[in-house]
Amino acid sequence: MAINQGVRPGGRSARVQASVHKAVQELLEERDRAELTVPLIATRAGVTPSTIYRRWGDLSELLGDVALERIRPDAEPADTGSLRGDLLAWGEQYMEETASVPGRAVVLDLLAAGGGCSGRCMAIACGQFDIILLRARERGEKLPELDRIVDRLMAPLVYRILFSGEELEVAYVERLVDLTLEGL
Amino acid sequence: MAINQGVRPGGRSARVQASVHKAVQELLEERDRAELTVPLIATRAGVTPSTIYRRWGDLSELLGDVALERIRPDAEPADTGSLRGDLLAWGEQYMEETASVPGRAVVLDLLAAGGGCSGRCMAIACGQFDIILLRARERGEKLPELDRIVDRLMAPLVYRILFSGEELEVAYVERLVDLTLEGL
């Protein structure tokens, strides 16, 4: 899938991408997701359908690319002064964003787009954890492995949001963070 | 969503359901999932599109219903003689089935169909865990809470299968089972 990396900012390619992404986002606000088609998006973006097929392959890859753009954090994770606090703040914000109707739709688009997109979604979360771990190291705190944060905090949160159909509580995030830091 | 429960076996309703499910499964083998439409399925099943809309609501609910049917276990989980062995056997089989291309597609269909289907998917797994826990109780073993099995075994497995893009190993399932039984 063609993605942002390597696109010269301000070049024609970047303008096409920005215009197509904007068209998708507008259409997602106006219509049911099942109604979106490549020709519809192309018309709104002012490009030809073949431009979209050439660049993104198909609709699900395009929707995955737009979803990736939406989950890319605009800031570093909150610095609360402790590893536990940082993980809690991350988990609460993640839960709030992902458990919403548009948040869930974004995750489904990432998954439907296949391996590349869903892998990059995990990499984005891991990038946030890396920053949190680096800070904890500088404070001299004991560090969990990155894999442990994925298995004990990230995975149960995502699983329950996607599958349980129940609203999660902050106390649940606290239990997961405790499990992540247990026995360090 | 209309589901199996309450459908009189052998009645007209059950015949329509069987025929529509079969049509979906055949078409999924022949075509790309994105090509499936309600009229196409209706023609193959020998029913009218409105029969499908009336009964399932829309395409994604129908695909979710078929996916639920596919994940419904045909047997009790393997009885290996110990709780640890039973959880390991469950995890290995689950990993094998879900990490396959059709297995992943089934999970995506369940998620796309929304709350009802994905919740029922979790309930089916929990039903298997209940059987495993009941056996362990009869053997006099110490029991983990059901939630602990979901958070420490089920969730990381599903998360890694859906998001990591890496092939999981049996040793990974073993680590998750150990974590599930830790400190009991």
Side-chain angles (χ1 to χ4, degrees):
Chain A
M1 187 182 64
I3 49 149
N4 293 335
Q5 282 130 33
V7 170
R8 186 162 48 85
R12 183 176 174 281
S13 181
R15 283 198 304 276
V16 166
Q17 168 158 314
S19 157
V20 170
H21 274 217
K22 182 159 168 279
V24 170
Q25 272 160 1
E26 286 173 7
L27 289 166
L28 282 175
E29 279 166 26
E30 296 165 17
R31 290 166 180 253
D32 195 73
R33 161 168 322 250
E35 292 172 27
L36 260 63
T37 62
V38 168
L40 188 70
I41 294 164
T43 303
R44 175 69 63 101
V47 302
T48 62
S50 64
T51 301
I52 293 183
Y53 289 119
R54 205 162 43 236
R55 179 156 185 156
W56 282 277
D58 63 18
L59 180 63
S60 73
E61 298 236 337
L62 169 57
L63 291 178
D65 193 29
V66 172
L68 263 186
E69 198 57 43
R70 291 183 68 160
I71 64 163
R72 195 159 286 144
D74 7 280
E76 293 204 345
D79 187 347
T80 65
S82 75
L83 174 57
R84 186 170 192 282
D86 286 6
L87 290 175
L88 262 179
W90 178 88
E92 286 175 31
Q93 195 191 339
Y94 185 87
M95 182 174 77
E96 202 176 292
E97 285 168 4
T98 314
S100 66
V101 172
R104 207 172 178 278
V106 162
V107 176
L108 290 185
D109 281 344
L110 287 167
L111 287 174
C117 270
S118 43
R120 223 167 293 137
C121 166
M122 183 167 157
I124 287 174
C126 287
Q128 298 288 90
F129 297 143
D130 279 337
I131 297 173
I132 289 175
L133 287 172
L134 195 67
R135 276 187 208 143
R137 183 193 306 273
E138 284 166 3
R139 288 187 209 107
E141 294 186 82
K142 295 244 169 86
L143 304 180
E145 303 268 339
L146 185 58
D147 270 347
R148 192 194 247 242
I149 305 181
V150 171
D151 286 336
R152 301 186 184 197
L153 174 60
M154 178 91 197
L157 258 189
V158 174
Y159 180 80
R160 297 262 181 188
I161 288 170
L162 292 179
F163 289 94
S164 79
E166 291 160 17
E167 205 170 320
L168 299 178
E169 294 179 4
V170 171
Y172 178 65
V173 182
E174 284 174 5
R175 283 205 302 279
L176 297 179
V177 170
D178 288 340
L179 179 65
T180 306
L181 301 178
E182 198 176 86
L184 284 186
Chain B
M1 188 182 62
I3 49 150
N4 292 335
Q5 281 131 34
V7 171
R8 187 162 46 86
R12 183 175 174 280
S13 180
R15 283 198 304 277
V16 166
Q17 169 158 314
S19 158
V20 170
H21 274 219
K22 183 161 168 279
V24 170
Q25 272 158 2
E26 286 173 7
L27 288 166
L28 282 175
E29 280 165 25
E30 295 165 20
R31 291 166 179 255
D32 194 74
R33 164 167 320 250
E35 291 172 27
L36 260 64
T37 61
V38 168
L40 188 71
I41 294 164
T43 303
R44 176 69 63 100
V47 302
T48 63
S50 65
T51 300
I52 293 186
Y53 290 120
R54 206 164 40 236
R55 179 155 184 157
W56 281 278
D58 63 20
L59 180 61
S60 72
E61 299 237 337
L62 169 57
L63 291 177
D65 193 29
V66 172
L68 264 185
E69 197 59 41
R70 291 183 68 160
I71 63 164
R72 195 159 286 145
D74 6 282
E76 293 204 346
D79 187 347
T80 66
S82 75
L83 174 57
R84 186 170 190 281
D86 285 6
L87 289 175
L88 262 178
W90 177 88
E92 286 175 30
Q93 195 191 339
Y94 185 86
M95 183 173 77
E96 201 175 293
E97 286 169 2
T98 312
S100 66
V101 172
R104 206 172 179 280
V106 162
V107 176
L108 290 186
D109 281 345
L110 287 167
L111 287 175
C117 270
S118 43
R120 224 167 291 137
C121 167
M122 182 168 159
I124 287 174
C126 288
Q128 297 288 93
F129 298 142
D130 278 337
I131 297 173
I132 289 175
L133 286 172
L134 193 67
R135 279 188 206 140
R137 182 193 307 271
E138 283 166 3
R139 289 187 208 105
E141 294 186 82
K142 295 245 168 86
L143 304 180
E145 303 269 338
L146 184 59
D147 270 347
R148 192 194 247 241
I149 304 181
V150 171
D151 286 336
R152 301 188 184 196
L153 173 60
M154 178 91 199
L157 258 188
V158 173
Y159 180 80
R160 298 261 181 189
I161 288 169
L162 292 180
F163 288 94
S164 80
E166 292 159 16
E167 205 169 321
L168 299 178
E169 295 180 3
V170 171
Y172 178 66
V173 182
E174 284 174 5
R175 282 205 303 281
L176 297 179
V177 169
D178 287 340
L179 179 65
T180 306
L181 301 177
E182 199 176 84
L184 284 186

